[in-house]
Amino acid sequence: CKLSGSITSKLGQLSNLLGFDVHNNIISGSIPPSIGKLTDVRALYMDTNALTGTIPSNIGSLTRLVDLRLHGNHLKGPMPQAISNLRILQILDLNSNELSGELPGPSLGNLSLMRELHLYQNNFVGSIPDELGSLGLITVLFLDQNELTGPIPAWTDLDYLEKLYVFDNELSRTIPKEIGNLHGLTELRLESN
């Protein structure tokens, strides 16, 4: 729709809102902290815009959130630790931003219903958290095109994982033999490390 401008802070007054979708527009500015008041919301699609600033930490108040898509913006800073409060989140898509810092392993590891985790094309550093191995229902795990270092974790319990992308990072050491136990894998990309 080529909507422009910013997201109003009055959005938080829509207390019965179950879904909010403004993807694929030219909306700029930051995500208003008032978004934390949308405690019934199940889906937030603000992807493919021109949003800036950080992801508000009070996004952790959205405990009924199932699908969060913020990819294709200019968001910066670390991923909030409060993401661990989103216990029923199934899709987290933050790719193609300018997010940085280490991946919050304990926070992400708490998201036991996660099906898809898209964190590629950011500026994340540090190692791939072992805690991602506790995401037993995950099917898609995209960590490529960051600055991640260290080994590929020896995960064994990701029975539903179909796509694992960790290419174009700074990973080193050997490919763990345990990767052979991920029988559901259809795509494995490890190049450019």
Side-chain angles (χ1 to χ4, degrees):
C1 296
K2 297 184 181 178
L3 295 173
S4 60
S6 60
I7 298 172
T8 176
S9 62
K10 292 187 177 182
L11 179 68
Q13 296 175 6
L14 302 177
S15 57
N16 293 315
L17 199 66
L18 298 178
F20 181 63
D21 186 349
V22 291
H23 83 279
N24 202 19
N25 282 290
I26 47 176
I27 295 171
S28 58
S30 60
I31 299 171
S34 63
I35 205 154
K37 295 179 181 177
L38 302 177
T39 53
D40 282 337
V41 77
R42 308 302 200 273
L44 281 177
Y45 302 147
M46 294 184 278
D47 48 290
T48 320
N49 277 289
L51 294 171
T52 56
T54 59
I55 300 171
S57 61
N58 66 354
I59 206 156
S61 301
L62 308 182
T63 56
R64 295 185 179 184
L65 196 58
V66 174
D67 194 343
L68 176 59
R69 301 180 194 221
L70 301 175
H71 65 270
N73 283 292
H74 304 287
L75 299 171
K76 295 184 178 184
M79 188 185 311
Q81 298 283 345
I83 211 124
S84 66
N85 297 338
L86 307 180
R87 298 295 174 112
I88 63 171
L89 193 65
Q90 295 180 19
I91 298 174
L92 177 58
D93 193 343
L94 305 178
N95 79 78
S96 304
N97 278 290
E98 299 163 32
L99 298 172
S100 59
E102 294 189 1
L103 295 175
S107 296
L108 291 171
N110 283 336
L111 306 178
S112 60
L113 299 180
M114 183 70 65
R115 301 267 200 288
E116 296 184 21
L117 183 57
H118 302 263
L119 301 178
Y120 62 93
Q121 283 186 347
N122 278 290
N123 299 312
F124 290 119
V125 298
S127 60
I128 298 174
D130 289 332
E131 292 91 345
L132 296 182
S134 66
L135 302 179
L137 299 177
I138 198 159
T139 60
V140 174
L141 181 52
F142 290 165
L143 304 174
D144 50 284
Q145 301 171 76
N146 281 289
E147 298 170 31
L148 299 172
T149 57
I152 299 168
W155 295 316
T156 56
D157 296 326
L158 301 181
D159 296 333
Y160 298 99
L161 187 61
E162 298 173 3
K163 298 178 182 180
L164 174 59
Y165 289 10
V166 294
F167 67 89
D168 200 7
N169 277 292
E170 298 172 24
L171 301 174
S172 58
R173 304 186 194 158
T174 60
I175 299 171
K177 64 182 179 181
E178 290 83 358
I179 216 156
N181 296 327
L182 305 179
H183 299 295
L185 274 184
T186 59
E187 296 181 30
L188 174 60
R189 295 192 60 185
L190 309 174
E191 75 269 18
S192 299
N193 276 292

